[in-house]
Every structure is written in C-alpha cells, then in structure tokens.
Amino acid sequence: MKIWRGFRRLGKRLRWPIRSAGLNFALAYGLVFIISAGVFLSFIWWNTTGQLDRQVEAAVQVDAHDLAQRWVHGGPAALALAIQDRLDQNVEDDELYLLVGPDGRKYAGNLPGWPVVITQMDEFYELSIRRDGFRTQAKMHAFPLSEGFRLIVGRDVRGRQVVRHVLTDTLIWAWVMVSLLAAGGTLAIRRIFRQVVRSIARTTSAVAQGDLSRRIPLTGNETDLVAQTVNTMLERINRLMDGVRQVSNAIAHDLRTPIARARARLEDASLTATSEDELRAAIDRAVLDLDHVTSIFEALLRIAQLEAGAQRAAFTVLDIPSLLEGLSELYEASMEDAGLKLDFRIGVLAPVNGDPHLLQQAVANLLDNAIKFAPENTTITLSAVMQKGRVAVSVSDQGPGMSELDMARASERFFRAETARNTPGAGLGLSLVQAVVQLHGGTMELSDGKPGLRVTLLLPALQNAKTLPA
C-alpha cells in the first residue's frame, strides 16, 4: 500500500501541465508522427546494414567452400596456389586469407598472423586489423582442415562501414526533417482545432445571448461533421422555441375568449339574476366554458407526455384489423345520424408494436374531424394497407380539404385552417395524432383527396412477422 501511494503521489507531481485541449491534441499528433518516423527510419537502417552483413557472410561461405574443395583435391600446395590466385585477381583488395599449419606457421594469405581473438570455428568475428600500415575493419571466419591445418577467410568491410556511416547520417537528417514537418503539422492541427472551437464558441455565445439564427459555418473538411450536428441541434432548438411562442400566443388567444365569456356570464348573473334558476343557468354555462379550457390543458399535457415518450409501457403486438373493425362499428351509427356513409376497406396487414388505446384515440380523432367537415350525403373512407414494409391507415373525406400551406402547418398546436374557423375545436386534434404516431416510430402524411382531405398514418410493421388477414 505504501509503494502504491508513493506512485500515486509521483504521478500527481508529474501530471501533464498543459491545460489546452487543442495544444494537447496537436502535441499528441506530433509525438506520434515523430515516433512513427523514428521507428520507420530505424527499420530501414537495421534492414540495410543487416543485408550488407549477410552479403559479406554469404560471400565468405561460398569462397570457403570452394577453397575446401581445393584442399581435398590438392592439399596445402593446391590451396596455397588458389589463395594466391584470388589475391592476385582481387582488384578491390578486400579479400582476406590465411592458411597456417599445425605448428602455426603461415603457408599462404595476406594476413600477418592468426588473430588471438579467433578461438571458435563456427562463428564470424568482426575485428580491427592492421594491413599495409593502416588499421581497418574486417569480418572473418575460421575453418578447420585436416592434418591440423587451419584456414581464415574474410573480407575487409571498410567500405561497408563507410556506407553505414553515410546511411546513418542520411537517416538522422531525414528524421530531423520529418520532425520539423511534424512540428509544422502540429501547429497546423492546433490552428484548425482552435478555429473549430472558436467558431463553435462564437456561435453558442450568440445563441446564449438570444440570437437563435446564428449557425456554425461549414469549411469543407472533417470538422463539418461537428458543425452540422451542432447546427441541426440549433435548428431544433429554434423550432422548439418558435413552437413555444406559437403555443403561448395560441393559448392566450384561444383561452381568453371562454374565460372572458365565463367571467362575463357570472358577473352578469351576479348583477341581473332575479331568481335562483337564472343564477344556476349562468353558473352552468360558465362551467361549460371552463370545462372547455380544462380540456385544452389536458390535451396539451397529453401531447407533452407523448412527445416525451412516457407512454411506451403499454406497448404490445397489435392486430390492426380488429382495432379498425371495432372503430368502424362504433362510428357507423353516428355517421348515419349525420347523413354520412362509412366505406371500410382493409387488406392483409402485418402486426405492429404499439399502444392499442393511443392508436385507437388517434384514428378516432381523424374520424371525428372527417365527420365535422364532411358535407351531408358524402362518404368517409377508412382503409388500411401495407406500404413498403409499413402499415398505412388512412381516413379521407369529401369536405373542403386544405391548401398545401395549411397541410404543412396542420400538426402545429392550435393551428386552424381558414375553412375551420367557424367550427368548434381548439386545433389540437392533429397535434395529438402526430404525437401518437411519432411515439410509435411512424409518420403522418396529409394529402389532397380531390375532393376533401386524406390523412395517412404510416406505422412500422414488425420485422419477420406474418401478415394477418382482414
């Protein structure tokens, strides 16, 4: 435990002092780049020098094998003659030979004597020797012969040493240049990082001060992914704020009338009522107005709960045909009383995952709207078909319909088209339907029924589920 605590205290003392995220990121990039370059250049140096060593060793082995054949066929005299021939023909003057007898006497070769460090016959030696009055580096291998003779075959590797030094200097300078490039890249990365952070900071600061129209500019590189994500978030915040303002204005406008009417009726009854029955009638009318206000608030609360996704606990596998059949039976009588006809069409459908009560309420809202706006002696159609892997539930009427602009705003809270200004309602029906459909992962589409309006609810069908017959 004491050792562990000591390491923790040491780690705290050596903690990285730089607090700039951009600088840390840039330094990490530069460090990785420099280390990678160092490892790569080291591998080149090691592989190149190793290849030179392997070439020397291979040449020595081949030469020694050929000289051993000469020894077998001609003995010391033939081997000495072969060594002298090789030395005479060696233009580069890099071949080294030494043939000694059992007593250590030199028979042939250009080495002055047997090096004392060469004691093994199964390995290469690299050592410094003196030749022609100067010292040089040599790589040699000793081979035992019969009758006590010994042979050394080697190469002067002075040229290889020069190549190694040149290669080393070249790779060091290359690593220095790569490090300078890494430093430049580090500064560039830091600059890009700071530009992105500053751009986000300027935009978010402007948004914090109330300017919701500001967006992060796109630069055409990988940082646009962050910019687009933040811009999408700001777009949604802007839409939500607009929705809050619109809802606030709509509440103030739509609730002022019933509240003012209830107050006026109660005040009028208080001043002019001459009997208990007149006072009770005024109170009942005021209660109806206040009930309308309460229903609006309940609808708003219901929409908020649905948009928050708080109603998924009751989700189950739904049989859409049986749900729609129940609604058609329920509404058929009320439509007949209103002089309307219900056309119920249903195809082969796959089940969906959802809340039966919410979906029933959504379709019921659409049927109520259709009854409200459909002219007498017309037909309201309730249909359901499969459409690109989704269950499409449609309700269409032959009423006045909506313009394209009205259809684009139909799901907004408290929005009412011009054709619906004189009809009862608060403009929350389609908003509630939209919230229900979104909770189920679907979409609501409005289209021109020519005549009338067609509202289609597209609900995702369960994957790998069998379709259910009508």
Side-chain angles (χ1 to χ4, degrees), residues 44-53 55-56 156-172:
I44 293 177
W45 181 89
W46 172 80
N47 189 58
T48 304
T49 56
Q51 185 65 25
L52 292 174
D53 286 339
Q55 288 179 353
V56 171
D156 188 332
V157 293
R158 178 179 55 223
R160 190 203 63 178
Q161 292 296 106
V162 173
V163 172
R164 176 180 290 182
H165 288 310
V166 171
L167 180 63
T168 302
D169 293 341
T170 302
L171 293 182
I172 289 176

Side-chain angles (χ1 to χ4, degrees), residues 330-346:
L330 179 65
Y331 275 86
E332 190 171 9
S334 59
M335 289 186 184
E336 289 180 357
D337 294 339
L340 301 171
K341 180 182 177 182
L342 176 63
D343 183 10
F344 180 51
R345 305 174 186 175
I346 192 166

Side-chain angles (χ1 to χ4, degrees), residues 75-133:
L79 181 56
L81 182 60
I83 290 175
Q84 190 60 44
D85 289 342
R86 279 171 165 73
L87 292 175
D88 293 339
Q89 297 174 8
N90 182 212
V91 178
E92 297 180 358
D93 193 26
D94 62 343
E95 296 181 358
L96 302 174
Y97 300 98
L98 178 64
L99 175 63
V100 298
D103 55 355
R105 184 170 63 88
K106 176 180 176 181
Y107 279 75
N110 57 351
L111 292 176
W114 190 274
V116 295
V117 296
I118 298 180
T119 58
Q120 302 293 329
M121 300 292 178
D122 56 351
E123 64 180 66
F124 277 90
Y125 290 87
E126 185 168 343
L127 50 112
S128 177
I129 62 173
R130 181 174 291 276
R131 291 184 61 202
D132 301 329

Side-chain angles (χ1 to χ4, degrees), residues 130-385:
R130 181 174 291 276
R131 291 184 61 202
D132 301 329
F134 63 91
R135 301 199 68 82
T136 184
Q137 200 75 11
K139 195 176 188 70
M140 297 180 288
H141 194 293
F143 300 92
L145 301 175
S146 60
E147 301 177 6
F149 283 82
R150 292 175 296 170
L151 172 67
I152 289 179
V153 180
R155 291 292 185 272
D156 188 332
V157 293
R158 178 179 55 223
R160 190 203 63 178
Q161 292 296 106
V162 173
V163 172
R164 176 180 290 182
H165 288 310
V166 171
L167 180 63
T168 302
D169 293 341
T170 302
L171 293 182
I172 289 176
W173 281 109
W175 185 79
V176 170
M177 289 185 289
V178 167
S179 300
L180 294 176
L181 291 176
T186 298
L187 296 177
I189 290 293
R190 184 192 180 195
R191 182 177 179 182
I192 294 173
F193 190 87
R194 292 180 66 179
Q195 286 178 347
V196 174
V197 172
R198 286 177 178 176
S199 179
I200 296 175
R202 286 194 298 267
T203 303
T204 53
S205 177
V207 171
Q209 294 175 6
D211 184 7
L212 296 179
S213 63
R214 291 288 296 273
R215 298 293 180 269
I216 300 176
L218 302 181
T219 58
N221 53 37
E222 290 79 1
T223 60
D224 285 351
L225 178 62
V226 177
Q228 289 174 351
T229 303
V230 175
N231 289 342
T232 302
M233 176 188 68
L234 294 177
E235 289 286 348
R236 178 164 178 77
I237 292 175
N238 195 22
R239 288 196 301 269
L240 292 175
M241 293 300 296
D242 288 340
V244 170
R245 285 192 291 268
Q246 292 173 4
V247 169
S248 300
N249 294 335
I251 289 176
H253 181 271
D254 288 3
L255 298 187
R256 180 178 58 187
T257 300
I259 293 175
R261 186 164 52 240
R263 181 184 184 281
R265 286 175 177 172
L266 292 175
E267 185 177 14
D268 182 66
S270 175
L271 296 175
T272 62
T274 59
S275 65
E276 184 179 349
D277 292 337
E278 291 181 358
L279 187 59
R280 287 183 178 276
I283 292 174
D284 290 340
R285 289 193 297 271
V287 168
L288 291 176
D289 291 330
L290 295 177
D291 286 342
H292 177 63
V293 174
T294 303
S295 66
I296 292 176
F297 280 112
E298 289 178 349
L300 289 173
L301 180 61
R302 184 71 164 165
I303 292 172
Q305 291 174 341
L306 292 173
E307 290 179 344
Q311 301 290 329
R312 295 183 181 272
F315 272 36
T316 185
V317 178
L318 291 182
D319 178 13
I320 296 296
S322 61
L323 185 145
L324 296 181
E325 286 174 0
L327 283 174
S328 66
E329 295 175 358
L330 179 65
Y331 275 86
E332 190 171 9
S334 59
M335 289 186 184
E336 289 180 357
D337 294 339
L340 301 171
K341 180 182 177 182
L342 176 63
D343 183 10
F344 180 51
R345 305 174 186 175
I346 192 166
V348 178
L349 304 177
V352 300
N353 186 36
D355 187 326
H357 300 292
L358 292 179
L359 288 177
Q360 192 174 37
Q361 182 181 359
V363 178
N365 281 4
L366 298 181
L367 292 173
D368 288 334
N369 283 345
I371 294 173
K372 187 187 301 183
F373 295 106
E376 193 175 355
N377 298 322
T378 58
T379 301
I380 295 175
T381 303
L382 172 61
S383 63
V385 295

